[in-house]
Amino acid sequence: MPKRGNQPIQGEMLQGTLDLLILKTLGVGPAHGHTIAYAIERQSEDVLQVEHGSLYPALHRLEDRGWISSFWGTSENNRRARYYRLTPLGRKQLAAQTTRWDEIVRAVNRILRPA
Amino acid sequence: MPKRGNQPIQGEMLQGTLDLLILKTLGVGPAHGHTIAYAIERQSEDVLQVEHGSLYPALHRLEDRGWISSFWGTSENNRRARYYRLTPLGRKQLAAQTTRWDEIVRAVNRILRPA
DNA sequence: GATACTCCACTAGATCATCTACCGGAATGG
DNA sequence: CCATTCCGGTAGATGATCTAGTGGAGTATC
């Protein structure tokens, strides 16, 4: 992967958004850590960065809350990998957080660009 | 001010966004803490909350960074109030952070709603 | 078969913005 | 006088993130 000119963006703004992004990524099917991080970076066109040190705590946090569940498997590269999948509760959470996100964006935009 | 049904939103998502909102609010002219908080809440149609415990640290932080400057004055209610105004550096920062915000929103939306 | 490299998971420690829950003072209203 | 409102502020805790590592197992190279 080429070195990017962009600065990393997580943490600078957007705390808690990582959870939403992970849930959304898992919405299409189970995946393991590396895949999740790569998918987020790729789909955001390399604007968003996912550091290992943020990813795994987030995954464990989401699992603790019952929004995702995990199982050990073998990756596409024949390596031991922990796969995560969205739970029914997680799917509800994904919907709720998406609505929330949209609401926040609208609210901030009302301030940045008053009618 | 009526009690709102909404849950507070700051901190849940959006860390660091408060700075942007303050800078933007001060973009139209000097204001003191209470006014700033009230303006953000009102313009966001009560979606965004600004707690005292977040506001003042943020104002001091922004002043430390040279993005805003302050002076003591008297409020509309004839009370001692510290007014803040945007510095030229702060105006640049406002522009930069606005661009950044837009970029992040686009990036997150690409993930939430792939083409 | 030794070595280097990649893939994958994970963690400790620190940083930093935020929230909760306070305090203190000065003006206003009853 | 007393309660309330307006205004600024802080201490301590919480919690997500980042930095900078560890370790192990498969793969490729020599």
Side-chain angles (χ1 to χ4, degrees):
Chain A
M1 201 153 15
K3 191 72 179 171
R4 302 172 319 94
N6 289 340
Q7 284 106 51
I9 241 169
Q10 287 289 345
E12 194 183 320
M13 284 177 174
L14 295 174
Q15 191 138 339
T17 313
L18 180 56
D19 291 10
L20 170 57
L21 298 177
I22 292 173
L23 292 176
K24 178 65 186 180
T25 302
L26 291 179
V28 300
H32 59 84
H34 260 58
T35 307
I36 296 170
Y38 182 65
I40 292 175
E41 291 176 358
R42 211 182 90 265
Q43 289 204 49
S44 74
E45 292 169 18
D46 282 342
V47 172
L48 270 19
Q49 284 242 26
V50 182
E51 306 294 337
H52 285 64
S54 311
L55 176 67
Y56 291 107
L59 288 171
H60 300 157
R61 180 168 66 236
L62 294 175
E63 188 169 20
D64 285 346
R65 292 178 184 166
W67 298 343
I68 61 178
S69 63
S70 68
F71 57 96
W72 284 102
T74 304
S75 75
E76 325 79 56
N77 296 307
N78 197 34
R79 272 172 177 87
R80 192 169 136 279
R82 186 188 283 275
Y83 282 80
Y84 293 91
R85 112 170 78 226
L86 214 54
T87 65
L89 203 60
R91 202 164 289 276
K92 281 186 191 171
Q93 192 61 31
L94 169 57
Q97 283 197 21
T98 302
T99 301
R100 191 71 150 176
W101 163 256
D102 290 337
E103 192 182 5
I104 294 172
V105 169
R106 279 196 304 272
V108 173
N109 282 339
R110 276 196 293 272
I111 294 172
L112 295 182
R113 284 121 187 149
Chain B
M1 205 155 11
K3 192 71 180 170
R4 303 171 318 94
N6 290 340
Q7 283 107 52
I9 241 168
Q10 287 290 345
E12 194 182 320
M13 282 178 176
L14 293 175
Q15 192 138 339
T17 313
L18 180 55
D19 291 9
L20 170 58
L21 298 177
I22 292 174
L23 292 176
K24 177 66 186 178
T25 301
L26 290 179
V28 300
H32 59 84
H34 261 57
T35 308
I36 297 170
Y38 183 65
I40 292 175
E41 291 176 356
R42 210 182 91 265
Q43 289 204 49
S44 74
E45 292 170 18
D46 283 343
V47 172
L48 270 19
Q49 285 241 27
V50 182
E51 306 294 337
H52 284 65
S54 311
L55 177 66
Y56 292 108
L59 287 171
H60 301 158
R61 180 168 65 236
L62 294 175
E63 189 169 19
D64 285 347
R65 292 179 184 166
W67 298 343
I68 62 179
S69 62
S70 68
F71 57 97
W72 285 102
T74 304
S75 75
E76 325 80 57
N77 297 307
N78 198 35
R79 274 173 174 87
R80 191 169 137 280
R82 187 189 283 272
Y83 283 81
Y84 293 91
R85 111 170 79 226
L86 214 53
T87 64
L89 203 61
R91 203 163 289 276
K92 280 186 193 171
Q93 193 59 32
L94 169 57
Q97 283 197 22
T98 302
T99 302
R100 191 73 151 172
W101 163 257
D102 291 337
E103 192 183 7
I104 293 172
V105 169
R106 277 196 306 273
V108 173
N109 281 339
R110 275 197 293 273
I111 294 172
L112 295 182
R113 284 120 188 151

PDB file of all heavy atoms in Angstrom, chain A residues 35-46:
ATOM      1  N   THR A  35      -9.122  -7.403   7.355  1.00  0.00           N
ATOM      2  CA  THR A  35     -10.075  -7.150   6.272  1.00  0.00           C
ATOM      3  C   THR A  35     -10.934  -5.940   6.570  1.00  0.00           C
ATOM      4  O   THR A  35     -11.186  -5.096   5.701  1.00  0.00           O
ATOM      5  CB  THR A  35     -11.001  -8.375   6.081  1.00  0.00           C
ATOM      6  OG1 THR A  35     -10.208  -9.538   5.915  1.00  0.00           O
ATOM      7  CG2 THR A  35     -11.887  -8.181   4.858  1.00  0.00           C
ATOM      8  N   ILE A  36     -11.400  -5.851   7.812  1.00  0.00           N
ATOM      9  CA  ILE A  36     -12.260  -4.741   8.219  1.00  0.00           C
ATOM     10  C   ILE A  36     -11.534  -3.409   8.040  1.00  0.00           C
ATOM     11  O   ILE A  36     -12.047  -2.472   7.424  1.00  0.00           O
ATOM     12  CB  ILE A  36     -12.702  -4.908   9.686  1.00  0.00           C
ATOM     13  CG1 ILE A  36     -13.559  -6.164   9.851  1.00  0.00           C
ATOM     14  CG2 ILE A  36     -13.461  -3.669  10.161  1.00  0.00           C
ATOM     15  CD1 ILE A  36     -13.832  -6.539  11.298  1.00  0.00           C
ATOM     16  N   ALA A  37     -10.310  -3.353   8.564  1.00  0.00           N
ATOM     17  CA  ALA A  37      -9.531  -2.121   8.467  1.00  0.00           C
ATOM     18  C   ALA A  37      -9.283  -1.738   7.014  1.00  0.00           C
ATOM     19  O   ALA A  37      -9.462  -0.581   6.619  1.00  0.00           O
ATOM     20  CB  ALA A  37      -8.200  -2.285   9.204  1.00  0.00           C
ATOM     21  N   TYR A  38      -8.926  -2.737   6.229  1.00  0.00           N
ATOM     22  CA  TYR A  38      -8.619  -2.471   4.835  1.00  0.00           C
ATOM     23  C   TYR A  38      -9.863  -1.992   4.090  1.00  0.00           C
ATOM     24  O   TYR A  38      -9.804  -1.057   3.276  1.00  0.00           O
ATOM     25  CB  TYR A  38      -8.053  -3.743   4.182  1.00  0.00           C
ATOM     26  CG  TYR A  38      -7.655  -3.533   2.746  1.00  0.00           C
ATOM     27  CD1 TYR A  38      -6.598  -2.667   2.430  1.00  0.00           C
ATOM     28  CD2 TYR A  38      -8.323  -4.174   1.702  1.00  0.00           C
ATOM     29  CE1 TYR A  38      -6.230  -2.456   1.110  1.00  0.00           C
ATOM     30  CE2 TYR A  38      -7.961  -3.971   0.388  1.00  0.00           C
ATOM     31  CZ  TYR A  38      -6.920  -3.110   0.092  1.00  0.00           C
ATOM     32  OH  TYR A  38      -6.557  -2.898  -1.212  1.00  0.00           O
ATOM     33  N   ALA A  39     -10.996  -2.609   4.393  1.00  0.00           N
ATOM     34  CA  ALA A  39     -12.244  -2.237   3.722  1.00  0.00           C
ATOM     35  C   ALA A  39     -12.619  -0.786   4.025  1.00  0.00           C
ATOM     36  O   ALA A  39     -13.031  -0.035   3.139  1.00  0.00           O
ATOM     37  CB  ALA A  39     -13.369  -3.175   4.156  1.00  0.00           C
ATOM     38  N   ILE A  40     -12.464  -0.397   5.285  1.00  0.00           N
ATOM     39  CA  ILE A  40     -12.808   0.976   5.667  1.00  0.00           C
ATOM     40  C   ILE A  40     -11.893   1.974   4.957  1.00  0.00           C
ATOM     41  O   ILE A  40     -12.351   2.986   4.418  1.00  0.00           O
ATOM     42  CB  ILE A  40     -12.731   1.149   7.195  1.00  0.00           C
ATOM     43  CG1 ILE A  40     -13.843   0.346   7.872  1.00  0.00           C
ATOM     44  CG2 ILE A  40     -12.814   2.621   7.589  1.00  0.00           C
ATOM     45  CD1 ILE A  40     -13.792   0.349   9.383  1.00  0.00           C
ATOM     46  N   GLU A  41     -10.616   1.673   4.950  1.00  0.00           N
ATOM     47  CA  GLU A  41      -9.669   2.577   4.291  1.00  0.00           C
ATOM     48  C   GLU A  41      -9.937   2.670   2.788  1.00  0.00           C
ATOM     49  O   GLU A  41      -9.935   3.757   2.217  1.00  0.00           O
ATOM     50  CB  GLU A  41      -8.232   2.110   4.560  1.00  0.00           C
ATOM     51  CG  GLU A  41      -7.849   2.298   6.028  1.00  0.00           C
ATOM     52  CD  GLU A  41      -6.461   1.760   6.358  1.00  0.00           C
ATOM     53  OE1 GLU A  41      -5.792   1.199   5.474  1.00  0.00           O
ATOM     54  OE2 GLU A  41      -6.059   1.904   7.537  1.00  0.00           O
ATOM     55  N   ARG A  42     -10.189   1.545   2.196  1.00  0.00           N
ATOM     56  CA  ARG A  42     -10.403   1.515   0.750  1.00  0.00           C
ATOM     57  C   ARG A  42     -11.696   2.224   0.358  1.00  0.00           C
ATOM     58  O   ARG A  42     -11.713   3.059  -0.541  1.00  0.00           O
ATOM     59  CB  ARG A  42     -10.446   0.054   0.263  1.00  0.00           C
ATOM     60  CG  ARG A  42      -9.922  -0.140  -1.161  1.00  0.00           C
ATOM     61  CD  ARG A  42     -10.038  -1.575  -1.598  1.00  0.00           C
ATOM     62  NE  ARG A  42     -11.301  -1.889  -2.243  1.00  0.00           N
ATOM     63  CZ  ARG A  42     -12.380  -2.395  -1.646  1.00  0.00           C
ATOM     64  NH1 ARG A  42     -12.354  -2.651  -0.349  1.00  0.00           N
ATOM     65  NH2 ARG A  42     -13.468  -2.639  -2.336  1.00  0.00           N
ATOM     66  N   GLN A  43     -12.765   1.899   1.067  1.00  0.00           N
ATOM     67  CA  GLN A  43     -14.062   2.484   0.707  1.00  0.00           C
ATOM     68  C   GLN A  43     -14.121   3.976   0.976  1.00  0.00           C
ATOM     69  O   GLN A  43     -14.900   4.693   0.353  1.00  0.00           O
ATOM     70  CB  GLN A  43     -15.187   1.791   1.472  1.00  0.00           C
ATOM     71  CG  GLN A  43     -15.430   0.377   0.989  1.00  0.00           C
ATOM     72  CD  GLN A  43     -16.840  -0.076   1.314  1.00  0.00           C
ATOM     73  OE1 GLN A  43     -17.815   0.608   1.046  1.00  0.00           O
ATOM     74  NE2 GLN A  43     -16.935  -1.255   1.925  1.00  0.00           N
ATOM     75  N   SER A  44     -13.320   4.433   1.918  1.00  0.00           N
ATOM     76  CA  SER A  44     -13.303   5.872   2.198  1.00  0.00           C
ATOM     77  C   SER A  44     -12.318   6.568   1.258  1.00  0.00           C
ATOM     78  O   SER A  44     -12.057   7.759   1.380  1.00  0.00           O
ATOM     79  CB  SER A  44     -12.904   6.125   3.651  1.00  0.00           C
ATOM     80  OG  SER A  44     -11.521   5.898   3.836  1.00  0.00           O
ATOM     81  N   GLU A  45     -11.776   5.805   0.331  1.00  0.00           N
ATOM     82  CA  GLU A  45     -10.767   6.309  -0.599  1.00  0.00           C
ATOM     83  C   GLU A  45      -9.565   6.865   0.139  1.00  0.00           C
ATOM     84  O   GLU A  45      -9.046   7.939  -0.177  1.00  0.00           O
ATOM     85  CB  GLU A  45     -11.388   7.347  -1.546  1.00  0.00           C
ATOM     86  CG  GLU A  45     -12.384   6.690  -2.510  1.00  0.00           C
ATOM     87  CD  GLU A  45     -13.220   7.701  -3.294  1.00  0.00           C
ATOM     88  OE1 GLU A  45     -12.817   8.872  -3.351  1.00  0.00           O
ATOM     89  OE2 GLU A  45     -14.276   7.300  -3.824  1.00  0.00           O
ATOM     90  N   ASP A  46      -9.161   6.136   1.171  1.00  0.00           N
ATOM     91  CA  ASP A  46      -7.956   6.438   1.959  1.00  0.00           C
ATOM     92  C   ASP A  46      -8.041   7.745   2.747  1.00  0.00           C
ATOM     93  O   ASP A  46      -7.020   8.289   3.159  1.00  0.00           O
ATOM     94  CB  ASP A  46      -6.705   6.451   1.078  1.00  0.00           C
ATOM     95  CG  ASP A  46      -6.240   5.023   0.767  1.00  0.00           C
ATOM     96  OD1 ASP A  46      -6.659   4.106   1.485  1.00  0.00           O
ATOM     97  OD2 ASP A  46      -5.468   4.842  -0.183  1.00  0.00           O
TER      98      ASP A  46
END
